[in-house]
Amino acid sequence: MTPDQLAQACADAMWREDQASQHLGMQIERVAPGEATLAMTIGPQMVNGHKTCHGGYIFTLADSAFAFACNAYNQRCVAQHTSITFIRPARQGDRLTATGREVSRTGKSGIYDISVTNQDGALIAEFRGHSRAIPGTILDDA
C-alpha cells in the first residue's frame, strides 16, 4: 500500500465511526500523509446571537481536519493541545474549508496547522494542533 493509499484507508475507517463530523455535514475533500481537507456549510443551527457562526463549530471543523491529518499513518493519535485564532466571522450559508498540514512529526508527537477559509478564500481562522500517538492502529490488517 502506498502512503497515499494508507492515508485514504485510515480516513475511510475513521470516517465510518465519526458520527460527530458526519452529523455536522462535514465532507472529506482530500487526505494524504500528514494532510487533510474537510469542508462544511454553516447551517441556521450553527449561528449565534450575533448572527455569525458560533466559534465552536469552526473549531470542530478544524479539529476534524487535524484528526484526519495526524491519523494518516495508521498510528492512533489524539489531540494533546490545540489553539485557534479567529480572524473574521463566518455566516449562515458560508462553505468553510479546513486545510490541515503537518509541520512536524517526531517520535510520538506531531504539530499540525489548519487554515479555515470561506467559499471566497477569505481566512476565517488559524488552528494549531499538537498530537500524541497512543497505542493501537486504525487499520487492523495493515
Side-chain angles (χ1 to χ4, degrees):
M1 193 179 299
T2 68
D4 282 338
Q5 290 170 329
L6 180 63
Q8 186 64 57
C10 289
D12 291 345
M14 286 180 54
W15 185 255
R16 284 191 293 274
E17 304 299 324
D18 188 347
Q19 298 301 308
S21 296
Q22 291 180 42
H23 175 74
L24 292 175
M26 291 182 199
Q27 297 172 323
I28 299 174
E29 294 191 343
R30 178 179 181 277
V31 293
E35 300 177 13
T37 301
L38 275 72
M40 149 180 105
T41 300
I42 303 306
Q45 73 282 8
M46 299 174 177
V47 176
N48 63 23
H50 296 294
K51 296 186 179 179
T52 61
C53 180
H54 189 291
Y57 290 106
I58 299 168
F59 181 95
T60 302
L61 175 63
D63 187 51
S64 290
F66 166 50
F68 284 95
C70 71
N71 281 280
Y73 300 101
N74 198 32
Q75 170 64 56
R76 289 195 182 273
C77 291
V78 295
Q80 183 177 39
H81 172 77
T82 62
S83 64
I84 192 166
T85 301
F86 298 104
I87 310 296
R88 65 177 41 89
R91 306 200 183 283
Q92 182 178 333
D94 281 352
R95 179 78 172 166
L96 301 185
T97 301
T99 304
R101 68 172 185 82
E102 187 175 272
V103 175
S104 171
R105 182 172 164 257
T106 312
K108 293 185 177 186
S109 298
I111 300 173
Y112 296 80
D113 284 342
I114 292 83
S115 296
V116 180
T117 57
N118 68 11
Q119 66 280 355
D120 299 321
L123 185 62
I124 301 298
E126 286 287 347
F127 174 108
R128 175 160 274 195
H130 296 246
S131 67
R132 184 71 176 171
I134 59 172
T137 59
I138 308 297
L139 305 172
D140 294 329
D141 57 353

